[in-house]
Amino acid sequence: MAENGKRPIRLGMVGGGTGAFIGYVHRIASRIDGDYQLVAGALSSRAEVARESGKNLGLAEDRIYTDFAEMARAEAAREDGIEAVAIVTPNHMHFAPAKAFLEAGIHVICDKPLTSSIEDARALQKVQPKNGAKFLLTHNYTGYPLIRQARALVESGALGKLRVVQVEYPQDWLAVEAGDDNKQAAWRTDPSKSGAGGAIGDIGTHAYNLARYVTGLKTSAVSADLDAFVPGRQLDDNVHIMLRFDGGAKGMLWASQVAVGCENGLQLRVYGEKAGIEWRQDNPNYMWFTEFGKPKQLLTRGGAIDGSAAGAMGVRIPAGHPEGYLEAFATIYSQFAAIIRGDGAEFEGLLPTLDDGVEGMEFIMAAVKSSKDDSRWTPLG
């Protein structure tokens, strides 16, 4: 049973077989609160890997599939078929499985970015899900309690009218040419699998989504400078983007996979007329809030802060015991489970949607176009 005493949702998975980092993360996230039970999977496009992975995960032999379309048909026909599916494949393999399962009436949990092309993203947006099947895009950083608190502070007017948004996501794992045996690097640097964007699609969309999620600001245009510093690399590995928001606020986004010494250094700073906030993923249980002319205040996860109801969403243990990446990921899984069950009204509007994914693809395409046009300001859409 789940922690809330309810029956676990029967979960399937497409991709994420043996050796796949993100599949492992999704499985942990789905289990933390006991809201899901993995019962079926098409875990690899290679039949032998799919079978071996399913066996290693303890799946019944008749629920280990080598083709996602077969899985969608078979599971939709079973009385005990899956109720939701997690799609954790490379970008170019998001669209077809998502479409197949939505049309089969199975809820979809899809890794970001939504697809590898804007055309596929818009086509997916037009799909009519059977039986009201719902969609979750796993921008997992929106699950951090203090990110929820930051959003609540902005909505409350505590920062005043927003002026400046600074967001960055630097890594260093692609600072040199990756070998052929590095599967994670291979597809991320291959345009046929990753799509038009490299670092911008892999981590830049996370940074962009986080800024949009917290501030609520709508982007009007971007001016982008995308580079591939590693010789021979076909997709960007470093991104600098200026953003213009409706209402006059300005933003700056930096995403890099060649920033030597940086380890998933996601951070967000938002400044308004009255106050500012600063948050870093490497210390996610703390956030600085500073009102103009007053001492800085350190807000803590689960601590005594105004509007604590927002910050408490997803808090599992008392303040002072650290929670992090996996718990934030689990929060969006568990809250989506509540929505699936019909008792998650309080989470509606908090979780990333298919529409957010389409906007993320519009952001990527606008940035790529801008960079090719000598960083000319380019509108989204």
Side-chain angles (χ1 to χ4, degrees), residues 201-219:
D202 193 26
I203 55 176
T205 49
H206 269 315
Y208 177 74
N209 175 266
L210 191 69
R212 286 276 289 109
Y213 183 83
V214 169
T215 67
L217 294 172
K218 184 172 177 59
T219 309

Side-chain angles (χ1 to χ4, degrees), residues 116-155:
S116 61
S117 73
I118 187 62
E119 293 79 15
D120 280 352
R122 289 173 177 158
L124 192 59
Q125 197 175 33
K126 294 177 181 177
V127 168
Q128 298 296 316
K130 184 178 179 181
N131 299 330
K134 301 181 183 301
F135 188 97
L136 171 70
L137 188 69
T138 54
H139 277 301
N140 51 291
Y141 302 107
T142 62
Y144 278 109
L146 284 176
I147 287 298
R148 300 286 179 84
Q149 184 62 44
R151 177 179 165 123
L153 285 168
V154 170
E155 289 178 342

Side-chain angles (χ1 to χ4, degrees), residues 4 91 106 113 174 203 233 241 275 297 308-309 319 348:
N4 55 20
N91 303 347
I106 295 169
L174 291 177
I203 55 176
R233 184 163 289 164
I241 303 176
Q297 299 178 57
S308 59
E348 295 282 359

Side-chain angles (χ1 to χ4, degrees), residues 23-257:
Y24 177 68
V25 169
H26 275 256
R27 288 191 290 273
I28 292 175
S30 72
R31 293 198 303 265
I32 282 180
D33 296 312
D35 282 305
Y36 300 83
Q37 180 181 4
L38 184 67
V39 298
L43 300 168
S44 175
S45 58
R46 293 173 292 163
E48 67 279 7
V49 176
R51 294 190 187 97
E52 179 186 2
S53 299
K55 182 179 179 181
N56 290 343
L57 291 172
L59 301 182
E61 188 174 347
D62 65 337
R63 304 188 79 172
I64 299 172
Y65 300 90
T66 57
D67 177 77
F68 71 83
E70 175 196 359
M71 176 177 163
R73 288 191 300 269
E75 290 294 322
R78 293 179 66 117
E79 187 175 341
D80 63 346
I82 62 171
E83 298 160 279
V85 65
I87 299 172
V88 295
T89 55
N91 303 347
H92 72 299
M93 283 300 297
H94 288 178
F95 170 73
K99 181 176 184 292
F101 284 97
L102 287 174
E103 291 178 339
I106 295 169
H107 304 291
V108 170
I109 301 166
C110 185
D111 209 45
K112 58 80 223 162
L114 180 60
T115 56
S116 61
S117 73
I118 187 62
E119 293 79 15
D120 280 352
R122 289 173 177 158
L124 192 59
Q125 197 175 33
K126 294 177 181 177
V127 168
Q128 298 296 316
K130 184 178 179 181
N131 299 330
K134 301 181 183 301
F135 188 97
L136 171 70
L137 188 69
T138 54
H139 277 301
N140 51 291
Y141 302 107
T142 62
Y144 278 109
L146 284 176
I147 287 298
R148 300 286 179 84
Q149 184 62 44
R151 177 179 165 123
L153 285 168
V154 170
E155 289 178 342
S156 74
L159 276 68
K161 183 179 179 181
L162 300 185
R163 291 172 169 171
V164 178
V165 181
Q166 299 279 120
V167 62
E168 64 182 60
Y169 197 154
Q171 305 171 329
D172 70 356
W173 74 290
L174 291 177
V176 297
E177 184 177 359
D180 294 337
D181 59 339
N182 189 332
K183 296 177 182 178
Q184 299 300 315
W187 74 258
R188 283 177 170 82
T189 55
D190 181 351
S192 69
K193 294 181 173 62
S194 185
I200 189 174
D202 193 26
I203 55 176
T205 49
H206 269 315
Y208 177 74
N209 175 266
L210 191 69
R212 286 276 289 109
Y213 183 83
V214 169
T215 67
L217 294 172
K218 184 172 177 59
T219 309
S220 58
V222 299
S223 171
D225 189 10
L226 279 58
D227 287 291
F229 280 110
V230 174
R233 184 163 289 164
Q234 299 180 67
L235 293 174
D236 60 275
D237 52 27
N238 189 82
V239 178
H240 288 93
I241 303 176
M242 292 189 293
L243 305 105
R244 288 176 177 166
F245 299 108
D246 290 354
K250 301 297 174 65
M252 188 176 295
L253 183 154
W254 172 46
S256 181
Q257 293 175 319

